[in-house]
Amino acid sequence: MRFFPGGRQVVIGEYESLIKAMTKANIPIVASCGGEGVCSRCKVLIKEGQVKSLSTGKLTGEEQEQGYVLACRSFPESHLVVEVSEESKLGVHQVVLGEGGGNLKGRADGSKPGDSILSGSNGLCAGGSGVPLFRKLCLVMPEPDINDSEDDLGRLVRVIRSVTGIKHLQTNLDVLRTLPQVLRQSGWKVTVSLTGDGRYQAVEITEVEPGHTAGQYYGLAVDIGTTSVVAQLVDLENGRVVGIKGTYNKQAAFGDDVISRIIFASEGGLGELQKAIVDTINELIEELAKEQKIKPVDIRAVVCAGNTTMSHLFLGIDPTFIRIEPYTPATNSIPAVRAGHAGLNTHPLALIRCLPGIGSYVGGDITAGVLITGMAFSGKLTLFIDIGTNGEIVLGNQEWLISCACSAGPAFEGGGLRHGMRAMRGAIEHIKIASGGADVEYKTVGGAPPVGICGSGLIDCVAGLYRAGIIDRGGNFITAGSTPRLRESIEGMEFVVSWSGESGGRVDITISEAEVKNLIRSKAAVYAGIRCMLQTVGLPAEAIDRIIIAGGFGQYINVRDAVNIGLLPDVPVEKYSYVGNSSVKGAQTALISGRAWEEIDEIIHKMTYMELSAGSTFMDEFVSALFIPHTDLNLFPSAQS
Amino acid sequence: MRFFPGGRQVVIGEYESLIKAMTKANIPIVASCGGEGVCSRCKVLIKEGQVKSLSTGKLTGEEQEQGYVLACRSFPESHLVVEVSEESKLGVHQVVLGEGGGNLKGRADGSKPGDSILSGSNGLCAGGSGVPLFRKLCLVMPEPDINDSEDDLGRLVRVIRSVTGIKHLQTNLDVLRTLPQVLRQSGWKVTVSLTGDGRYQAVEITEVEPGHTAGQYYGLAVDIGTTSVVAQLVDLENGRVVGIKGTYNKQAAFGDDVISRIIFASEGGLGELQKAIVDTINELIEELAKEQKIKPVDIRAVVCAGNTTMSHLFLGIDPTFIRIEPYTPATNSIPAVRAGHAGLNTHPLALIRCLPGIGSYVGGDITAGVLITGMAFSGKLTLFIDIGTNGEIVLGNQEWLISCACSAGPAFEGGGLRHGMRAMRGAIEHIKIASGGADVEYKTVGGAPPVGICGSGLIDCVAGLYRAGIIDRGGNFITAGSTPRLRESIEGMEFVVSWSGESGGRVDITISEAEVKNLIRSKAAVYAGIRCMLQTVGLPAEAIDRIIIAGGFGQYINVRDAVNIGLLPDVPVEKYSYVGNSSVKGAQTALISGRAWEEIDEIIHKMTYMELSAGSTFMDEFVSALFIPHTDLNLFPSAQS
Ligand code: FES
Ligand code: FES
């Protein structure tokens, strides 16, 4: 019997399957289903001779006509010439992005659907050299004989390497101690567990089980946000997201924002904060496991993306100096940690990898965002904006990346307002104010009775007040020609967005002059950050090819109104898109693709951080941006019309 | 102030030492003694300007005249131009071989002293890129400021890298958790512990202590022999051997040789065998610690060299298939293991590295031998012979290495003889027999009353019997013209080497015809192995430039007599040398030099194994060698004269 390519020959006995013959000829093959005839991974082409096939599995009629058979279910009946396709030899590399790529929701208001955003990353992840953080492989190995008496581990490594291309393979003592028996008792057919940390392509053989072990294995991608935590359960065999859950970060009990948590940690509360976030994630694991009917111990790899402070707190690393000049974190690049060591309720040996960041204020969540937009490998100039309490902004393309963080304050998350709230049920998310301000139309999340105003509603509101002539460019209420909605309160002028009783609302929902000015300061900070970056690289806003908005805030935002108040640059709305929770998506990509880790290394390497507070440029830009839309109206030509 | 090379400038305040100025200028420097003025590592040359030096430490008068000062004890009194020598920046690389190189004893009988053997290895170990398995470094780090706000770990890695050149540095969670506090509380002067596994130059920062921590740290080099175990305690700060102890392998209680131990292990005794050898090593650790007044926990790295079976048993790895065709060990290359995991009573996080072998019968002990002879990197054709129960032979030079193992039987260790014994007190180690055999002169180990005959005595004895005409070339006693020493016993003819009562001996010490023939079979096996290797590479014995003998047996051997009976090739005795316990010396070299691990990788890669039992050549050569000295007398021209 001869095999192509390579031309190796082998003589086999009766009742020996083709797959057996291949292992004799030292052609390692991936038997994903363990030779049960159901995965069709072992497909080969019979060029000459007769075989008897017991099953055709998933082979198409066309394939069968061409002469393809399943090697595991076929027995030679004559001399054969067999062609082994590359697909059968290397099929395991094909990482499917699955839900991760298709999950993006396009915005309704004219921005492009998100899937185009991912093309760069998609292309990269489908490549051949990626090594996911965990996977299992079923291997049928050639048996040793007097001409090939390599040691057991060497043989195993040789076969894994030829199937996967992984360069550096290690193992541990527990595997080695029983390896000789496992290999021989299983008849040289084993399932190996491979655990990597995504770096240097160093992979550890963490388990060798006899035969083809059924059962699935999963990974967890976690977005550790200051406010909320989102976890995705990913089937690591095919890269598909099988479940997703979110909840509030239990750390909120110790302070709302990053700064207050750091202070609490520095004063002896680090352990409590660590426990709070570990508990939060364990709760999500439990829910996901229950929903998907899996055992938490089947989760074999974890990737977390969070800001630098969250990453520190999650692993109990002292964050004190993140908030003290010169703002140095303990590390931007957290080493791989065993889940057991970190307290997560997954497989105790599962490796946890936190996505690295580049500084105290540009963390792994931003790296995740840059990763999934593909902007670091695109010729298009991209602006990535993640707005929460902090606005993190990245500008760049395949040549360079520049990032900054500006303190936007809590306004965009509905904080600091009497009637502000997050974008939950009952939050006013869109507002239209008729000229003069007498008529107000609004839409609440879930169509529920109005309870408060969320960030996007606030932007709409300020844009509407300005358009209706109720506020001037500086955010001052113009009392002349006023409507009943404009009234005096103890805290100064305020505008009634919704009357109590109206649509079931229980109180008057208002916005005060102070609150309008507060929002203007927030939008000025973000816009000034964008301007500083553009000036640093000497480019006008028109040079930007696409603007990608991430984070919960972006979900409801009306881009047109955000441009009108001067929060976002005045470029065609078609250039805007919304990427959703880029943090968890980036974590998911890193979970299923080793190649992603090479990209992450490159992103980290390429990205520079611009400290805004250090230069006077930022203050100048900030002051200029304290108007609607801006002091320099030439920057907002469309807003003028 | 300006520094060369590099030309960096820095302005410093009053009362700031030069070493402080250097860290300000971002010039990392090794302060081995922590700036106490005693190590002189921080030597710099003042090219221009005045300094006030509080101490000159170990600087020579000449150095002082040239303008050298200790940076840690000198304070600028004017503008300065300072030259920083490479030595001060990179001094830590200079690994001293110490006792390991000089320990070799030359043989009294004309062979060259051993030190020449080591030149190759010496040269290599002094090179620059080695990373020892463990070391501590005291570092004075530049403090972060607004222009250099790198994260703490990044800063630490940067400084370690610039001092040591280590490429891949990792750390663990325990170090990270407290790193920010440790760095700041110590005023950025810390002592780091670096642990490497010798491969890929991947090094882990295992501890960061504030300030300059006094106290020493040690390594342990262990030769795990089937019969005896030898441990060297090495001061890792300077590479010096500070103590050495040996004892019998407690596994002897479960069988004398490798095969019987494997059988015992296969039948459920693996745990007992593992405990026995771990206990043996722990006993040596305790003795060494007591003698040197150190704490076992100060032992921070362990390197073991042993045959393949011993390495398996030590770590509890199933050795069953080492003795079953096709003789495949679980692994030739055992991964690094924590001492705590293996049960050794050193620092629990100390890494244990076992030297890799190349097969079931050529293990890490032989790799150690090849390493310290330097033969793998020499132009000279070298034959390395380690004779115990198995004879392991390596032939080669910088181009190629070929190895084989032949079953010599226990004769050379005094086994299988009625009056045989190891080379201990009272063993007859040298024998001269006058023509005719009436007069016998002998020498015992320690000059004690004769108790038995050891391997070297046996060789002398057979050579003497042949020269005296008492045995023929086939090892048969020639009864004609016999002496009273030649007599009949129940087991056939025997020769009395020493009468009871003589020199205080209590019994007649004899050697029988069967025992002579047994020794001839042993010597034939070794010589046939050597011949097979030479024939495989197509070279005559004369092409060998040097022959290096290792192991306890070689210590007392009379090379002339060994050639005369046809055990060793007939080349000038000047080509022979004795290397002592090459196994423990190789382990020691690997303990103190990361470079050695690169050499080991190359040796493993280069060395091929020749299976003697597989070919008919060996049997032919073996039969031809069953004569004194050989069937083909042309192979032994000097023995004829
Ligand atoms: S069909 Fe899965 S291995 Fe053949
Ligand atoms: S003499 Fe040791 S650091 Fe200066």
Side-chain angles (χ1 to χ4, degrees):
Chain A
M1 189 181 307
R2 285 174 73 191
F3 290 99
F4 288 91
R8 265 173 273 183
Q9 299 207 15
V10 70
V11 177
I12 62 164
E14 259 184 305
Y15 310 119
E16 284 193 308
S17 69
L18 258 177
I19 212 165
K20 184 89 190 165
M22 290 168 77
T23 63
K24 272 202 176 175
N26 249 327
I27 302 171
I29 184 154
V30 186
S32 283
C33 71
E36 304 298 333
V38 297
C39 73
S40 301
R41 270 280 166 76
C42 60
K43 179 175 89 171
V44 294
L45 183 62
I46 305 299
K47 305 278 277 190
E48 276 177 48
Q50 292 293 324
V51 298
K52 185 166 156 205
S53 282
L54 300 184
S55 156
T56 53
K58 292 188 200 148
L59 293 178
T60 63
E62 196 182 348
E63 283 173 327
Q64 293 177 37
E65 243 162 70
Q66 288 169 354
Y68 280 101
V69 299
L70 298 184
C72 70
R73 299 273 105 181
S74 299
F75 298 82
E77 300 200 311
S78 74
H79 169 86
L80 291 178
V81 175
V82 179
E83 186 175 302
V84 186
S85 65
E86 279 310 303
E87 197 187 340
S88 292
K89 284 163 73 188
L90 296 165
V92 283
H93 286 306
Q94 292 156 8
V95 174
V96 183
L97 252 194
E99 306 272 21
N103 245 351
L104 294 174
K105 281 194 221 136
R107 292 233 334 105
D109 63 0
S111 56
K112 291 254 176 173
D115 52 3
S116 69
I117 298 172
L118 270 204
S119 58
S121 189
N122 249 328
L124 286 156
C125 292
S129 76
V131 180
L133 297 192
F134 180 86
R135 74 172 184 233
K136 285 191 177 194
L137 277 184
C138 178
L139 299 168
V140 182
M141 293 169 63
E143 285 182 38
D145 60 36
I146 200 72
N147 298 312
D148 171 21
S149 61
E150 193 173 6
D151 60 289
D152 294 347
L153 179 61
R155 175 176 310 272
L156 185 64
V157 164
R158 185 181 77 196
V159 172
I160 297 173
R161 191 174 287 158
S162 77
V163 170
T164 64
I166 298 170
K167 254 170 87 182
H168 298 316
L169 277 154
Q170 304 157 2
T171 191
N172 59 50
L173 198 49
D174 294 325
V175 166
L176 253 184
R177 282 179 170 159
T178 54
L179 184 63
Q181 297 292 352
V182 170
L183 290 177
R184 287 169 183 82
Q185 281 167 9
S186 67
W188 302 90
K189 177 172 143 186
V190 292
T191 301
V192 294
S193 295
L194 301 178
T195 301
D197 73 351
R199 302 188 156 259
Y200 313 130
Q201 300 216 343
V203 172
E204 184 176 335
I205 304 166
T206 41
E207 206 173 355
V208 180
E209 298 163 287
H212 177 251
T213 60
Q216 289 178 290
Y217 48 98
Y218 297 87
L220 196 74
V222 189
D223 161 41
I224 309 181
T226 309
T227 306
S228 52
V229 180
V230 175
Q232 275 188 352
L233 186 69
V234 179
D235 182 336
L236 288 183
E237 210 156 14
N238 53 29
R240 291 241 161 74
V241 178
V242 295
I244 182 160
K245 293 270 174 199
T247 188
Y248 287 106
N249 187 336
K250 288 186 200 292
Q251 289 180 337
F254 307 98
D256 238 14
D257 56 22
V258 158
I259 297 299
S260 57
R261 304 233 186 116
I262 295 177
I263 294 172
F264 187 78
S266 304
E267 290 170 350
L270 178 55
E272 270 170 283
L273 286 171
Q274 186 190 0
K275 185 175 179 310
I277 179 62
V278 168
D279 285 353
T280 306
I281 299 174
N282 278 338
E283 214 172 272
L284 291 173
I285 290 172
E286 201 176 313
E287 283 177 32
L288 283 166
K290 196 177 275 174
E291 181 187 275
Q292 299 302 322
K293 299 188 177 54
I294 70 156
K295 290 192 293 287
V297 80
D298 287 335
I299 298 175
R300 305 294 292 259
V302 180
V303 175
C304 296
N307 63 49
T308 303
T309 302
M310 287 305 122
S311 299
H312 277 56
L313 295 178
F314 169 44
L315 294 172
I317 301 168
D318 182 0
T320 302
F321 303 96
I322 288 178
R323 64 174 267 277
I324 296 175
E325 220 194 276
Y327 316 113
T328 47
T331 182
N332 287 322
S333 202
I334 293 174
V337 174
R338 298 271 177 212
H341 198 172
L344 283 197
N345 181 29
T346 61
H347 194 291
L349 293 182
L351 272 189
I352 301 175
R353 294 284 295 144
C354 292
L355 292 193
I358 65 157
S360 281
Y361 294 107
V362 176
D365 49 349
I366 301 308
T367 307
V370 172
L371 174 71
I372 65 138
T373 62
M375 64 188 282
F377 305 94
S378 161
K380 291 185 184 166
L381 182 62
T382 306
L383 180 69
F384 174 83
I385 309 179
D386 188 345
I387 302 179
T389 309
N390 267 316
E392 287 119 348
I393 310 169
V394 185
L395 178 70
N397 56 24
Q398 63 202 2
E399 313 275 318
W400 50 270
L401 290 171
I402 175 166
S403 65
C404 74
C406 49
S407 178
F412 295 122
E413 293 193 323
L417 273 82
R418 190 137 60 105
H419 295 109
M421 66 184 293
R422 295 210 180 90
M424 321 194 292
R425 201 173 154 74
I428 297 177
E429 51 163 327
H430 287 300
I431 299 179
K432 264 192 195 158
I433 300 174
S435 185
D439 280 348
V440 176
E441 271 176 50
Y442 55 83
K443 198 171 151 273
T444 60
V445 175
V451 184
I453 310 178
C454 70
S456 59
L458 193 59
I459 290 171
D460 280 12
C461 182
V462 172
L465 289 173
Y466 176 62
R467 205 161 30 216
I470 298 165
I471 55 173
D472 68 11
R473 290 184 56 208
N476 306 294
F477 281 103
I478 301 163
T479 42
S482 57
T483 93
R485 289 182 182 265
L486 192 62
R487 69 188 187 192
E488 196 79 42
S489 80
I490 349 166
E491 288 162 1
M493 298 294 288
E494 63 182 22
F495 180 83
V496 181
V497 175
S498 149
W499 298 105
S500 74
E502 196 182 313
S503 328
R506 295 206 268 163
V507 291
D508 292 353
I509 294 171
T510 61
I511 178 166
S512 72
E513 194 174 274
E515 289 170 342
V516 169
K517 292 198 168 176
N518 197 12
L519 181 81
I520 291 176
R521 272 195 299 279
S522 292
K523 76 96 185 166
V526 173
Y527 188 75
I530 297 171
R531 279 283 289 171
C532 281
M533 293 180 109
L534 284 167
Q535 283 182 15
T536 300
V537 295
L539 289 173
E542 293 75 50
I544 302 173
D545 294 310
R546 44 182 205 160
I547 299 183
I548 299 172
I549 300 184
F553 162 73
Q555 195 172 354
Y556 300 97
I557 197 176
N558 178 325
V559 171
R560 195 56 261 167
D561 279 346
V563 171
N564 282 342
I565 67 163
L567 164 63
L568 296 177
D570 191 3
V571 300
V573 284
E574 297 79 47
K575 290 192 175 180
Y576 281 91
S577 56
Y578 173 62
V579 80
N581 186 334
S582 56
S583 182
V584 77
K585 282 178 187 162
Q588 183 220 338
T589 304
L591 187 60
I592 59 175
S593 157
R595 181 72 161 267
W597 288 95
E598 292 170 21
E599 291 186 44
I600 288 165
D601 276 347
E602 214 175 315
I603 290 167
I604 293 298
H605 206 79
K606 220 183 248 178
M607 190 151 62
T608 56
Y609 177 66
M610 204 172 94
E611 177 62 53
L612 292 180
S613 62
S616 60
T617 321
F618 178 75
M619 269 324 282
D620 292 349
E621 284 295 338
F622 177 69
V623 170
S624 304
L626 284 174
F627 287 84
I628 301 175
H630 197 271
T631 312
D632 181 358
L633 290 176
N634 293 327
L635 291 171
F636 288 85
S638 82
Q640 281 175 278
S641 59
Chain B
M1 189 182 308
R2 285 174 71 190
F3 289 99
F4 289 92
R8 266 173 271 184
Q9 298 206 14
V10 69
V11 177
I12 62 165
E14 259 185 306
Y15 310 119
E16 283 193 307
S17 69
L18 258 177
I19 213 166
K20 185 88 190 165
M22 290 168 76
T23 63
K24 273 201 176 175
N26 248 329
I27 302 171
I29 184 155
V30 186
S32 284
C33 71
E36 304 299 332
V38 297
C39 75
S40 301
R41 271 277 167 78
C42 60
K43 179 176 87 171
V44 294
L45 183 61
I46 305 299
K47 304 278 278 190
E48 277 177 47
Q50 290 294 323
V51 299
K52 185 168 154 203
S53 282
L54 300 184
S55 156
T56 53
K58 292 189 201 149
L59 294 178
T60 63
E62 197 182 349
E63 284 173 326
Q64 293 177 38
E65 245 162 69
Q66 289 169 353
Y68 280 102
V69 300
L70 298 183
C72 70
R73 302 271 103 183
S74 299
F75 300 83
E77 301 199 311
S78 73
H79 169 85
L80 291 178
V81 175
V82 179
E83 185 175 304
V84 186
S85 65
E86 278 311 303
E87 197 187 338
S88 291
K89 284 164 72 189
L90 296 165
V92 283
H93 286 306
Q94 291 155 9
V95 174
V96 183
L97 251 194
E99 307 270 23
N103 247 350
L104 293 175
K105 281 195 222 137
R107 294 236 330 110
D109 63 0
S111 56
K112 291 252 178 177
D115 53 3
S116 69
I117 298 172
L118 271 204
S119 58
S121 190
N122 248 329
L124 286 156
C125 293
S129 76
V131 180
L133 298 192
F134 180 87
R135 74 172 184 231
K136 285 191 175 194
L137 278 182
C138 177
L139 299 167
V140 182
M141 292 169 63
E143 284 182 37
D145 59 37
I146 200 73
N147 299 312
D148 170 21
S149 61
E150 192 173 6
D151 60 291
D152 294 348
L153 180 61
R155 175 176 309 273
L156 185 64
V157 164
R158 185 182 76 194
V159 172
I160 296 174
R161 192 174 287 158
S162 78
V163 170
T164 64
I166 297 170
K167 255 170 87 181
H168 299 317
L169 277 154
Q170 306 157 1
T171 191
N172 59 50
L173 199 49
D174 294 325
V175 165
L176 254 184
R177 282 178 169 160
T178 55
L179 185 62
Q181 296 293 351
V182 170
L183 290 177
R184 286 168 183 81
Q185 282 168 10
S186 67
W188 302 90
K189 177 174 143 186
V190 291
T191 301
V192 294
S193 295
L194 302 178
T195 300
D197 74 351
R199 301 188 157 258
Y200 312 131
Q201 300 215 347
V203 173
E204 184 176 336
I205 304 166
T206 42
E207 206 174 357
V208 180
E209 297 163 289
H212 177 251
T213 61
Q216 289 178 290
Y217 49 99
Y218 298 86
L220 197 73
V222 189
D223 160 40
I224 308 182
T226 310
T227 307
S228 53
V229 180
V230 175
Q232 275 188 352
L233 187 69
V234 179
D235 182 336
L236 288 183
E237 209 155 16
N238 53 30
R240 292 242 161 72
V241 177
V242 295
I244 182 160
K245 293 270 175 201
T247 188
Y248 287 106
N249 186 337
K250 288 185 200 294
Q251 289 180 337
F254 308 98
D256 240 13
D257 55 22
V258 157
I259 297 299
S260 57
R261 305 236 183 114
I262 294 177
I263 294 172
F264 187 78
S266 304
E267 290 169 351
L270 178 56
E272 270 170 283
L273 286 171
Q274 187 190 359
K275 184 173 180 313
I277 179 61
V278 168
D279 285 353
T280 306
I281 299 173
N282 278 338
E283 213 172 274
L284 292 173
I285 291 172
E286 201 177 312
E287 283 175 34
L288 283 166
K290 196 177 271 175
E291 182 187 273
Q292 299 301 321
K293 300 188 176 55
I294 70 156
K295 291 192 294 285
V297 80
D298 287 334
I299 298 175
R300 304 294 292 260
V302 180
V303 175
C304 295
N307 63 49
T308 304
T309 303
M310 286 306 120
S311 299
H312 277 57
L313 295 178
F314 168 46
L315 295 172
I317 302 169
D318 182 0
T320 303
F321 303 96
I322 288 179
R323 64 173 268 275
I324 297 174
E325 219 192 277
Y327 315 114
T328 48
T331 181
N332 287 322
S333 203
I334 293 173
V337 174
R338 298 272 176 211
H341 198 172
L344 283 197
N345 181 29
T346 60
H347 194 291
L349 294 182
L351 272 189
I352 301 175
R353 294 284 295 144
C354 291
L355 291 193
I358 65 157
S360 281
Y361 294 107
V362 176
D365 49 348
I366 301 307
T367 307
V370 172
L371 174 72
I372 65 138
T373 63
M375 64 188 282
F377 305 93
S378 161
K380 291 185 183 166
L381 182 62
T382 305
L383 182 68
F384 174 82
I385 309 179
D386 188 345
I387 302 179
T389 309
N390 267 315
E392 286 118 349
I393 310 169
V394 185
L395 178 70
N397 56 24
Q398 63 202 5
E399 314 274 321
W400 50 269
L401 290 171
I402 175 167
S403 65
C404 75
C406 49
S407 177
F412 294 123
E413 293 193 323
L417 272 82
R418 188 134 63 106
H419 297 290
M421 66 185 290
R422 294 213 179 86
M424 322 194 293
R425 200 174 153 75
I428 296 177
E429 51 164 328
H430 287 302
I431 300 178
K432 265 193 193 154
I433 300 173
S435 183
D439 280 348
V440 176
E441 271 176 53
Y442 56 83
K443 200 170 150 276
T444 61
V445 175
V451 184
I453 310 178
C454 70
S456 59
L458 194 58
I459 291 170
D460 281 11
C461 183
V462 171
L465 289 173
Y466 176 62
R467 203 161 32 216
I470 297 164
I471 56 174
D472 67 11
R473 291 183 55 206
N476 308 295
F477 280 104
I478 301 165
T479 43
S482 56
T483 92
R485 288 182 182 265
L486 193 61
R487 69 187 185 192
E488 197 79 41
S489 80
I490 350 168
E491 288 160 2
M493 298 295 287
E494 64 181 21
F495 180 82
V496 181
V497 175
S498 149
W499 300 105
S500 73
E502 196 180 312
S503 331
R506 295 206 267 164
V507 291
D508 293 351
I509 294 171
T510 61
I511 177 166
S512 72
E513 193 174 273
E515 289 168 344
V516 168
K517 291 197 167 175
N518 197 14
L519 182 81
I520 290 176
R521 273 194 298 279
S522 291
K523 77 93 187 170
V526 173
Y527 188 76
I530 297 171
R531 279 282 289 172
C532 282
M533 294 180 109
L534 285 168
Q535 282 182 16
T536 300
V537 295
L539 289 173
E542 293 76 50
I544 302 173
D545 293 309
R546 44 182 205 161
I547 300 182
I548 299 173
I549 299 183
F553 163 73
Q555 194 171 356
Y556 299 97
I557 198 175
N558 178 326
V559 172
R560 195 57 260 167
D561 279 345
V563 171
N564 282 343
I565 67 163
L567 165 63
L568 297 176
D570 191 3
V571 299
V573 285
E574 296 79 46
K575 290 191 176 179
Y576 280 91
S577 57
Y578 173 63
V579 80
N581 187 333
S582 56
S583 182
V584 77
K585 282 177 186 163
Q588 182 220 339
T589 304
L591 187 59
I592 59 176
S593 158
R595 181 71 162 267
W597 288 94
E598 293 170 20
E599 292 185 42
I600 288 166
D601 276 348
E602 213 175 317
I603 290 167
I604 292 299
H605 206 80
K606 219 184 250 177
M607 189 150 66
T608 56
Y609 177 65
M610 204 173 96
E611 177 63 54
L612 292 181
S613 62
S616 60
T617 322
F618 178 75
M619 270 324 282
D620 292 349
E621 284 294 337
F622 176 69
V623 171
S624 304
L626 284 174
F627 288 84
I628 300 176
H630 197 271
T631 314
D632 182 359
L633 289 176
N634 292 327
L635 292 170
F636 288 86
S638 84
Q640 282 174 279
S641 61

